[in-house]
Amino acid sequence: MEIDADGILLTFMNLLTAELQIEEIFSFDEVRYLLPILIKMIQTGELTFKCDFDFKFKDAFDFIKTEIGEKSVELLMPENADNGDKQEITNIIFALLFILYKNQKAKFDHLCEKLDENNSAGILQLIKQLDNFDCLSPIPFTSILNNFSSSNNLFSNFQIFSSQNLKEKEEISKYKIKSAEFEAKYKKIEAINFKLNEQLGNAQNEFIDLENKYENLKQADNEKQGSIELLNIQLREITDELETSRYNNSQLQRELKSLNERHSRAFQKSANDLKSKEDEVRLLYIRLDALVKQITEKDSSENKLKFLEQQIANQQGTIGELRIGLEQALDRANIAETELIKYKRLHNNNISNREDNTNSQNDSDTSISLHDDLNSCKLTENHSNLNDSLDQISSQNDDFAKLKTRLELIQYEKRELEKE
């Protein structure tokens, strides 16, 4: 591959445009706009953008003369460069890169690392040729660049031939290495083949065992198949039961929903009734408060009411005593009536016995007559006691009726007072 000095220098300048992320240049006519940037980098060591449309190659020549000496730049002609002479433009760029190498070597090396191998080696070779000149003699920039291009072509041709010869030797050595590797692999394959044959015999024996096991498993599988059929039947039955249960569950859920609705309605009705009762209770409390207020405001009515209540209590005590006496009289009357009935029954029995014994002796008649007289006296006395008890009861009933009438009148007056 031919490497041109102009191409190397132009590639290096485009490296600056790439670093600054500006538009790439394609000819030396456009390189004048990059000279202020290159000179600033030589001065500061920093690559920053600088725009100066009035900058000329004459200005760059003055900077070069200051850096490497007036004698060294005698062969440079900046006027021709400003007029578009490509060779003079290349010479000025070459001189500026040499100054960058001397003043900012670390920055120069950093930029060269970003070039490809050929361009990096080429620009270093050019710079080192300038390094052989001192500042007391003119530097032949044009001759160095032209000689580099021609010598580089011869070197590249020789390099191509050498590289081809080297490739052939490398291929031969690779073939030898591969042959040795293949022999080693063949021996390994033979050893592996022997092991595989042993494994094949073992595998055949295992295969026979597996066939026997397969037959046993097949027989067991047939037995399990019958069990599976039975399980499928049971599964269908369980599925049917499950469907029935689901249907029953849905019915129960509907009934539960209906019951919940009825319960909700009943609860709402109860709540409404409770609210109505509470309203009634509040109204009753209001009326009770009003009644208590009325009773509280009427002190005279209360005193009279207390007096009437005292009279009622006294009358009730009297009535209680009369009731007790009446109950005692009734008890005596009941006892007398019972005895009267008993004596009447006894008297009737005596009469019947007398008729049956008409032919008895006189002593016997006399005793019966006496007995009858005694019974007659007792009956008369009991009748008298009974009549007295009845009269007493009648009198007590009259008194009780009067007291009851009076009590009713007192209660009526009490109600009238409460209404007021």
Side-chain angles (χ1 to χ4, degrees), residues 178-194:
K178 286 183 179 180
S179 177
E181 290 176 354
F182 286 147
E183 288 180 359
K185 287 181 180 179
Y186 178 74
K187 291 179 180 179
K188 289 181 180 179
I189 290 170
E190 285 184 345
I192 293 170
N193 188 25
F194 178 74

Side-chain angles (χ1 to χ4, degrees), residues 62-94:
D62 294 337
F63 175 76
I64 295 168
K65 183 172 64 173
T66 303
E67 291 293 328
I68 63 176
E70 184 177 358
K71 192 69 175 178
S72 299
V73 296
E74 285 183 354
L75 299 177
L76 291 177
M77 291 179 286
E79 296 83 4
N80 294 340
D82 286 328
N83 293 327
D85 189 344
K86 179 183 175 182
Q87 185 62 53
E88 289 299 326
I89 294 172
T90 306
N91 293 338
I92 291 174
I93 294 171
F94 187 23

